[in-house]
Coordinates of all heavy atoms in Angstrom, one line a residue:
M1 N -3.7 -0.2 -4.0 CA -3.1 -1.2 -3.2 C -2.5 -0.5 -2.0 O -1.9 0.6 -2.1 CB -2.0 -2.0 -4.0 CG -1.3 -2.8 -3.1 SD 0.1 -3.9 -4.0 CE 1.1 -2.6 -4.5
L2 N -2.7 -1.1 -0.9 CA -2.1 -0.5 0.4 C -1.1 -1.6 0.8 O -1.4 -2.8 0.9 CB -3.2 -0.4 1.4 CG -4.3 0.5 1.0 CD1 -5.3 0.6 2.1 CD2 -3.8 1.9 0.6
D3 N 0.1 -1.2 1.2 CA 1.1 -2.2 1.6 C 1.8 -1.8 2.9 O 2.1 -0.6 3.1 CB 2.1 -2.1 0.4 CG 3.1 -3.3 0.4 OD1 2.9 -4.2 1.2 OD2 4.1 -3.2 -0.3
F4 N 2.1 -2.8 3.7 CA 2.8 -2.5 4.9 C 4.2 -2.9 4.7 O 4.7 -4.0 4.7 CB 2.2 -3.4 6.1 CG 3.0 -3.2 7.3 CD1 2.9 -1.9 8.0 CD2 3.7 -4.2 7.9 CE1 3.6 -1.8 9.2 CE2 4.5 -4.0 9.1 CZ 4.4 -2.7 9.7
A5 N 5.0 -1.9 4.3 CA 6.4 -2.0 4.2 C 7.0 -0.6 4.4 O 6.3 0.4 4.3 CB 6.8 -2.4 2.8
P6 N 8.2 -0.6 5.0 CA 8.8 0.8 5.2 C 8.8 1.7 4.1 O 9.1 1.3 3.0 CB 10.2 0.4 5.7 CG 10.2 -1.0 6.1 CD 9.1 -1.7 5.3
N7 N 8.4 2.9 4.4 CA 8.5 4.1 3.4 C 7.7 3.7 2.1 O 8.2 4.1 1.0 CB 9.9 4.3 3.0 CG 10.7 4.7 4.3 OD1 10.2 5.5 5.1 ND2 11.9 4.1 4.6
T8 N 6.5 3.0 2.3 CA 5.8 2.8 1.0 C 4.5 3.7 1.1 O 4.1 4.2 2.1 CB 5.3 1.4 0.9 OG1 4.6 1.0 2.0 CG2 6.5 0.5 0.8
K9 N 3.9 3.9 0.0 CA 2.5 4.7 -0.1 C 1.6 3.8 -0.9 O 2.0 2.9 -1.6 CB 2.8 6.0 -0.7 CG 3.7 7.0 -0.1 CD 3.0 7.8 0.8 CE 3.9 8.9 1.5 NZ 3.2 9.7 2.4
E10 N 0.4 4.3 -0.9 CA -0.6 3.6 -1.7 C -0.3 3.7 -3.2 O 0.4 4.7 -3.6 CB -2.0 4.1 -1.4 CG -2.3 5.6 -1.9 CD -1.6 6.6 -0.8 OE1 -1.3 6.3 0.2 OE2 -1.8 7.8 -1.2
L11 N -0.7 2.7 -3.9 CA -0.5 2.7 -5.4 C -1.8 2.7 -6.1 O -2.8 2.0 -5.6 CB 0.3 1.6 -5.9 CG 1.8 1.5 -5.3 CD1 2.3 0.0 -5.7 CD2 2.6 2.5 -5.8
H12 N -2.0 3.3 -7.3 CA -3.3 3.2 -8.0 C -3.0 2.7 -9.4 O -2.0 3.1 -10.0 CB -3.7 4.7 -8.2 CG -4.0 5.3 -6.9 ND1 -5.2 5.4 -6.3 CD2 -3.3 6.1 -6.1 CE1 -5.2 6.1 -5.1 NE2 -3.8 6.5 -5.0
F13 N -3.7 1.7 -9.7 CA -3.6 1.1 -11.1 C -4.9 0.3 -11.4 O -5.7 0.2 -10.5 CB -2.4 0.0 -11.0 CG -2.5 -1.0 -9.9 CD1 -3.2 -2.1 -10.0 CD2 -1.7 -0.7 -8.8 CE1 -3.2 -3.0 -8.9 CE2 -1.8 -1.5 -7.7 CZ -2.4 -2.7 -7.8
D14 N -5.0 0.0 -12.6 CA -6.1 -0.7 -13.1 C -5.8 -2.2 -13.2 O -5.0 -2.6 -14.0 CB -6.5 -0.2 -14.6 CG -7.7 -1.0 -15.2 OD1 -8.3 -1.8 -14.6 OD2 -8.0 -0.6 -16.4
L15 N -6.3 -2.9 -12.2 CA -6.0 -4.3 -12.1 C -6.3 -5.2 -13.2 O -5.7 -6.2 -13.5 CB -6.6 -4.9 -10.8 CG -6.1 -6.2 -10.2 CD1 -4.7 -6.1 -9.9 CD2 -6.9 -6.4 -9.0
S16 N -7.3 -4.8 -14.0 CA -7.8 -5.5 -15.1 C -6.7 -5.5 -16.3 O -6.7 -6.3 -17.2 CB -9.1 -5.1 -15.6 OG -9.0 -3.8 -16.2
G17 N -5.8 -4.5 -16.2 CA -4.8 -4.4 -17.2 C -3.5 -5.1 -16.9 O -2.5 -5.0 -17.7
I18 N -3.5 -5.7 -15.8 CA -2.3 -6.5 -15.3 C -2.4 -7.9 -15.4 O -3.4 -8.5 -14.7 CB -1.8 -5.9 -14.0 CG1 -1.6 -4.5 -13.9 CG2 -0.6 -6.6 -13.5 CD1 -1.5 -3.9 -12.6
P19 N -1.6 -8.7 -16.1 CA -1.7 -10.2 -16.1 C -1.5 -10.7 -14.6 O -0.6 -10.2 -13.9 CB -0.6 -10.6 -17.0 CG 0.1 -9.4 -17.6 CD -0.5 -8.2 -16.8
S20 N -2.2 -11.7 -14.2 CA -2.0 -12.3 -12.9 C -0.7 -12.8 -12.6 O -0.3 -12.7 -11.5 CB -3.0 -13.4 -12.7 OG -2.7 -14.5 -13.6
Q21 N 0.2 -13.1 -13.5 CA 1.5 -13.5 -13.2 C 2.4 -12.4 -12.7 O 3.5 -12.5 -12.2 CB 2.2 -14.1 -14.6 CG 1.6 -15.2 -15.2 CD 0.4 -14.8 -16.3 OE1 0.0 -13.8 -16.2 NE2 0.2 -15.7 -17.2
K22 N 1.9 -11.1 -13.0 CA 2.7 -9.9 -12.6 C 2.3 -9.4 -11.3 O 2.8 -8.4 -10.7 CB 2.5 -8.8 -13.7 CG 3.0 -9.2 -15.1 CD 4.5 -9.1 -15.1 CE 4.9 -9.3 -16.6 NZ 6.3 -9.2 -16.8
F23 N 1.3 -10.0 -10.6 CA 0.7 -9.4 -9.3 C 1.8 -9.3 -8.3 O 1.9 -8.4 -7.5 CB -0.4 -10.3 -8.8 CG -1.7 -10.1 -9.6 CD1 -2.8 -10.9 -9.3 CD2 -1.9 -9.1 -10.5 CE1 -4.0 -10.8 -10.0 CE2 -3.1 -9.0 -11.2 CZ -4.1 -9.9 -10.9
E24 N 2.7 -10.3 -8.2 CA 3.8 -10.4 -7.2 C 4.7 -9.1 -7.4 O 5.1 -8.6 -6.4 CB 4.5 -11.6 -7.4 CG 5.6 -11.8 -6.3 CD 5.2 -12.7 -5.1 OE1 4.2 -13.3 -5.2 OE2 6.0 -12.6 -4.1
S25 N 4.9 -8.7 -8.5 CA 5.8 -7.6 -8.7 C 5.2 -6.2 -8.3 O 5.9 -5.2 -8.3 CB 6.2 -7.5 -10.3 OG 5.1 -7.1 -11.1
L26 N 3.9 -6.2 -8.0 CA 3.2 -4.9 -7.6 C 3.7 -4.6 -6.1 O 3.7 -3.4 -5.9 CB 1.7 -5.1 -7.6 CG 1.0 -5.4 -9.0 CD1 -0.4 -5.6 -8.8 CD2 1.2 -4.1 -9.8
F27 N 4.1 -5.5 -5.4 CA 4.5 -5.3 -4.0 C 5.9 -5.0 -3.9 O 6.8 -5.5 -4.6 CB 4.1 -6.6 -3.2 CG 2.7 -6.9 -3.0 CD1 2.1 -7.7 -3.9 CD2 1.9 -6.2 -2.1 CE1 0.7 -7.9 -3.9 CE2 0.5 -6.4 -2.0 CZ -0.1 -7.3 -2.9
A28 N 6.2 -4.1 -2.9 CA 7.6 -3.7 -2.7 C 8.5 -4.9 -2.2 O 7.9 -5.9 -1.6 CB 7.7 -2.6 -1.6
Q29 N 9.6 -4.8 -2.5 CA 10.6 -6.0 -2.2 C 10.5 -6.3 -0.7 O 10.7 -7.5 -0.3 CB 12.0 -5.7 -2.5 CG 12.9 -6.9 -2.5 CD 14.3 -6.5 -3.0 OE1 14.7 -5.4 -3.2 NE2 15.1 -7.6 -3.3
K30 N 10.4 -5.3 0.2 CA 10.4 -5.6 1.7 C 9.1 -5.7 2.2 O 8.9 -5.4 3.4 CB 11.2 -4.5 2.4 CG 12.7 -4.5 2.0 CD 13.6 -3.6 2.7 CE 14.9 -3.7 2.5 NZ 15.8 -2.8 3.4
S31 N 8.0 -6.0 1.4 CA 6.7 -6.0 1.9 C 6.5 -7.1 3.0 O 7.1 -8.3 2.9 CB 5.8 -6.4 0.8 OG 5.7 -5.3 -0.1
I32 N 5.7 -6.8 3.9 CA 5.3 -7.9 4.9 C 3.9 -8.5 4.5 O 3.8 -9.6 4.5 CB 5.3 -7.2 6.3 CG1 6.7 -6.7 6.7 CG2 4.7 -8.1 7.3 CD1 6.8 -5.8 7.9
Y33 N 3.0 -7.5 4.2 CA 1.8 -8.0 3.6 C 1.2 -6.8 2.8 O 1.6 -5.6 3.0 CB 0.9 -8.4 4.7 CG 0.4 -7.4 5.7 CD1 -0.7 -6.5 5.3 CD2 0.9 -7.2 6.8 CE1 -1.1 -5.5 6.2 CE2 0.6 -6.1 7.7 CZ -0.4 -5.4 7.3 OH -0.8 -4.3 8.2
G34 N 0.4 -7.0 2.0 CA -0.3 -6.0 1.2 C -1.7 -6.3 1.0 O -2.2 -7.5 1.1
N35 N -2.4 -5.3 0.6 CA -3.9 -5.5 0.5 C -4.2 -4.8 -0.9 O -3.8 -3.7 -1.1 CB -4.7 -4.8 1.5 CG -4.5 -5.3 2.9 OD1 -5.0 -6.5 3.1 ND2 -3.8 -4.6 3.7
I36 N -4.8 -5.5 -1.7 CA -5.3 -4.9 -3.0 C -6.8 -4.6 -2.7 O -7.7 -5.6 -2.5 CB -5.2 -5.9 -4.2 CG1 -3.6 -6.0 -4.5 CG2 -5.9 -5.3 -5.4 CD1 -3.3 -7.0 -5.6
I37 N -7.2 -3.4 -2.9 CA -8.6 -3.0 -2.6 C -9.1 -2.6 -4.0 O -8.6 -1.8 -4.6 CB -8.7 -1.8 -1.6 CG1 -8.1 -2.2 -0.4 CG2 -10.2 -1.4 -1.5 CD1 -7.9 -1.1 0.6
S38 N -10.1 -3.4 -4.4 CA -10.7 -3.1 -5.7 C -12.2 -2.6 -5.7 O -12.8 -3.0 -4.7 CB -10.7 -4.4 -6.6 OG -11.3 -5.5 -6.0
F39 N -12.6 -1.9 -6.7 CA -13.9 -1.4 -6.8 C -14.6 -1.8 -8.1 O -13.9 -1.8 -9.1 CB -13.9 0.1 -6.7 CG -13.3 0.6 -5.4 CD1 -11.9 1.0 -5.5 CD2 -14.0 0.9 -4.2 CE1 -11.2 1.6 -4.3 CE2 -13.4 1.3 -3.1 CZ -12.1 1.7 -3.2
L40 N -15.8 -2.1 -8.1 CA -16.6 -2.3 -9.2 C -17.4 -1.1 -9.6 O -18.1 -0.7 -8.8 CB -17.5 -3.5 -9.1 CG -18.4 -3.9 -10.2 CD1 -17.6 -4.4 -11.4 CD2 -19.3 -5.1 -9.8
D41 N -17.1 -0.6 -10.8 CA -17.9 0.6 -11.3 C -17.7 1.9 -10.4 O -18.5 2.6 -10.3 CB -19.4 0.3 -11.5 CG -19.7 -0.8 -12.5 OD1 -18.9 -0.9 -13.4 OD2 -20.7 -1.6 -12.3
Y42 N -16.5 1.9 -9.8 CA -16.2 3.1 -9.0 C -14.7 3.3 -9.0 O -13.9 2.3 -8.9 CB -16.6 2.8 -7.6 CG -16.2 4.0 -6.6 CD1 -16.7 5.2 -6.8 CD2 -15.3 3.8 -5.6 CE1 -16.3 6.3 -5.9 CE2 -14.9 4.9 -4.7 CZ -15.4 6.0 -4.9 OH -15.1 7.1 -4.1
C43 N -14.2 4.5 -9.3 CA -12.8 4.8 -9.4 C -12.6 6.1 -8.5 O -12.7 7.2 -9.0 CB -12.4 5.1 -10.8 SG -10.7 5.3 -11.0
P44 N -12.2 5.8 -7.2 CA -12.0 6.9 -6.4 C -10.7 7.7 -6.8 O -9.7 7.3 -7.4 CB -11.7 6.3 -5.0 CG -11.2 5.0 -5.4 CD -11.9 4.5 -6.6
H45 N -10.8 9.0 -6.6 CA -9.8 9.9 -6.9 C -8.5 9.6 -6.0 O -8.6 9.3 -4.8 CB -10.1 11.4 -6.7 CG -9.2 12.3 -7.3 ND1 -8.0 12.7 -6.8 CD2 -9.2 12.9 -8.6 CE1 -7.3 13.6 -7.6 NE2 -8.1 13.7 -8.7
P46 N -7.3 9.5 -6.6 CA -6.1 9.3 -5.8 C -6.0 10.2 -4.5 O -5.5 9.8 -3.4 CB -4.9 9.5 -6.7 CG -5.5 9.2 -8.1 CD -6.9 9.7 -8.0
K47 N -6.5 11.4 -4.6 CA -6.3 12.3 -3.4 C -7.3 11.8 -2.3 O -6.9 11.8 -1.1 CB -6.7 13.7 -3.8 CG -5.7 14.5 -4.4 CD -6.1 16.0 -4.5 CE -4.9 16.8 -4.9 NZ -5.3 18.3 -4.9
T48 N -8.5 11.2 -2.7 CA -9.3 10.7 -1.7 C -8.7 9.6 -0.9 O -8.8 9.5 0.3 CB -10.7 10.2 -2.3 OG1 -11.3 11.3 -3.1 CG2 -11.7 9.7 -1.3
I49 N -8.1 8.7 -1.7 CA -7.4 7.5 -1.0 C -6.2 7.9 -0.2 O -6.0 7.5 0.9 CB -6.9 6.5 -2.1 CG1 -8.1 6.0 -2.9 CG2 -6.1 5.3 -1.5 CD1 -9.1 5.3 -2.1
A50 N -5.5 9.0 -0.6 CA -4.4 9.5 0.1 C -4.8 10.1 1.4 O -4.1 9.9 2.4 CB -3.6 10.5 -0.8
Q51 N -5.9 10.8 1.4 CA -6.5 11.3 2.7 C -6.8 10.2 3.7 O -6.6 10.3 4.9 CB -7.7 12.2 2.3 CG -7.4 13.5 1.6 CD -8.6 14.3 1.2 OE1 -9.7 13.7 1.0 NE2 -8.5 15.6 1.1
I52 N -7.4 9.1 3.2 CA -7.8 8.0 4.1 C -6.5 7.5 4.6 O -6.5 7.0 5.8 CB -8.6 7.0 3.2 CG1 -9.9 7.7 2.8 CG2 -8.7 5.7 4.1 CD1 -10.8 6.8 1.9
C53 N -5.5 7.3 3.8 CA -4.2 6.7 4.3 C -3.3 7.6 5.0 O -2.4 7.0 5.8 CB -3.4 6.2 3.1 SG -4.3 4.9 2.2
A54 N -3.5 8.8 4.9 CA -2.6 9.7 5.6 C -2.2 9.5 7.2 O -1.1 9.6 7.5 CB -3.0 11.2 5.4
P55 N -3.2 9.2 7.9 CA -3.0 9.0 9.3 C -1.9 7.9 9.6 O -1.3 7.9 10.6 CB -4.3 8.7 9.9 CG -5.3 9.4 9.0 CD -4.7 9.2 7.6
Y56 N -2.0 6.9 8.7 CA -1.1 5.8 8.8 C 0.4 6.1 8.4 O 1.2 5.3 8.9 CB -1.6 4.6 8.1 CG -3.0 4.3 8.6 CD1 -4.2 4.7 7.9 CD2 -3.2 3.5 9.7 CE1 -5.4 4.4 8.3 CE2 -4.5 3.2 10.1 CZ -5.5 3.6 9.4 OH -6.8 3.3 9.8
Y57 N 0.6 7.2 7.9 CA 2.0 7.6 7.5 C 2.7 8.5 8.5 O 3.9 8.6 8.4 CB 2.0 8.2 6.1 CG 1.5 7.3 5.0 CD1 0.6 7.9 4.1 CD2 2.0 6.0 4.9 CE1 0.1 6.9 3.0 CE2 1.6 5.2 3.9 CZ 0.7 5.7 3.0 OH 0.2 4.8 2.0
S58 N 2.0 9.0 9.4 CA 2.5 9.9 10.5 C 2.9 9.0 11.6 O 2.2 8.9 12.6 CB 1.5 11.0 10.9 OG 0.4 10.4 11.3
L59 N 4.1 8.3 11.4 CA 4.6 7.5 12.5 C 5.6 8.1 13.4 O 6.3 9.0 13.1 CB 5.4 6.2 11.8 CG 4.5 5.4 10.9 CD1 5.4 4.3 10.2 CD2 3.4 4.8 11.5
T60 N 5.6 7.6 14.7 CA 6.5 8.1 15.7 C 7.8 7.4 15.4 O 7.9 6.4 14.7 CB 6.0 7.8 17.1 OG1 5.9 6.4 17.3 CG2 4.7 8.4 17.3
V61 N 8.9 7.9 16.1 CA 10.2 7.2 16.0 C 10.1 5.7 16.4 O 10.6 4.8 15.8 CB 11.1 8.0 16.9 CG1 12.5 7.2 16.9 CG2 11.4 9.3 16.3
I62 N 9.3 5.5 17.5 CA 9.2 4.1 18.0 C 8.5 3.2 17.0 O 8.9 2.1 16.7 CB 8.3 4.1 19.4 CG1 9.1 4.8 20.4 CG2 8.1 2.7 19.8 CD1 10.5 4.3 20.9
E63 N 7.4 3.7 16.4 CA 6.7 3.0 15.4 C 7.6 2.7 14.1 O 7.6 1.6 13.6 CB 5.5 3.8 14.9 CG 4.3 3.8 15.9 CD 3.2 4.8 15.6 OE1 3.6 5.8 15.1 OE2 2.1 4.4 15.9
R64 N 8.4 3.6 13.8 CA 9.3 3.5 12.6 C 10.4 2.3 13.0 O 10.7 1.5 12.2 CB 10.0 4.7 12.3 CG 9.2 5.7 11.5 CD 10.0 6.8 11.0 NE 9.2 7.8 10.4 CZ 8.7 7.8 9.2 NH1 9.1 6.8 8.4 NH2 7.9 8.6 8.6
L65 N 10.9 2.3 14.3 CA 11.8 1.3 14.7 C 11.1 -0.1 14.6 O 11.7 -1.1 14.2 CB 12.4 1.6 16.0 CG 13.3 2.8 16.1 CD1 13.6 3.1 17.6 CD2 14.6 2.4 15.4
I66 N 10.0 -0.1 15.1 CA 9.1 -1.4 15.2 C 9.0 -1.9 13.7 O 9.2 -3.2 13.5 CB 7.9 -1.3 15.9 CG1 8.2 -1.1 17.5 CG2 6.9 -2.6 15.8 CD1 7.0 -0.8 18.3
N67 N 8.6 -1.1 12.9 CA 8.3 -1.4 11.4 C 9.5 -2.0 10.8 O 9.6 -2.9 10.1 CB 7.9 -0.3 10.7 CG 6.3 0.1 11.0 OD1 5.6 -0.7 11.6 ND2 5.8 1.2 10.5
G68 N 10.7 -1.3 11.1 CA 11.9 -1.7 10.6 C 12.4 -3.1 11.1 O 12.8 -3.9 10.3
L69 N 12.1 -3.4 12.3 CA 12.4 -4.7 12.9 C 11.5 -5.8 12.3 O 11.8 -6.9 12.0 CB 12.4 -4.7 14.4 CG 13.3 -3.9 15.2 CD1 12.9 -3.8 16.7 CD2 14.7 -4.5 15.0
V70 N 10.2 -5.4 12.2 CA 9.2 -6.4 11.7 C 9.5 -6.8 10.2 O 9.3 -7.9 9.7 CB 7.8 -5.8 11.8 CG1 6.8 -6.7 11.2 CG2 7.5 -5.7 13.3
S71 N 10.0 -5.8 9.5 CA 10.2 -6.0 8.0 C 11.5 -6.8 7.8 O 11.7 -7.1 6.5 CB 10.3 -4.6 7.3 OG 11.4 -3.9 7.7
R72 N 12.3 -7.1 8.7 CA 13.4 -7.9 8.4 C 13.3 -9.3 8.3 O 12.5 -10.0 8.7 CB 14.5 -7.7 9.6 CG 15.1 -6.3 9.5 CD 16.1 -6.1 10.6 NE 16.6 -4.8 10.5 CZ 17.4 -4.3 11.3 NH1 17.9 -5.0 12.3 NH2 17.8 -3.0 11.3

């Protein structure tokens, strides 16, 4: 799962093992939006996903301020 909320990182879990009533609890409290990306018959290594997401975590001071304002 990838989530747009301050100071969050990608999460890895088996969606088939989570009851649909619990989906809401997967997202951080200050989430603005989130994306659940699922694969059929493919399980990427967490390091691979982290490498893909890494450029989005290197935010400038301005981007952090904007994210903070948007998340309110």
Side-chain angles (χ1 to χ4, degrees):
M1 174 176 68
L2 306 176
D3 193 11
F4 179 68
N7 303 314
T8 60
K9 297 267 185 182
E10 65 279 354
L11 299 173
H12 301 267
F13 51 83
D14 181 357
L15 196 56
S16 67
I18 300 171
S20 59
Q21 303 89 336
K22 301 278 186 179
F23 287 170
E24 183 95 10
S25 65
L26 295 173
F27 295 93
Q29 189 175 16
K30 294 185 177 186
S31 292
I32 296 169
Y33 65 85
N35 298 290
I36 294 177
I37 301 171
S38 60
F39 301 95
L40 179 63
D41 298 327
Y42 175 67
C43 186
H45 193 278
K47 276 189 170 181
T48 303
I49 301 301
Q51 287 173 334
I52 293 168
C53 296
Y56 300 97
Y57 296 131
S58 55
L59 300 176
T60 65
V61 172
I62 300 296
E63 290 169 321
R64 287 189 183 274
L65 288 171
I66 291 170
N67 286 348
L69 291 172
V70 172
S71 67
R72 289 185 183 176

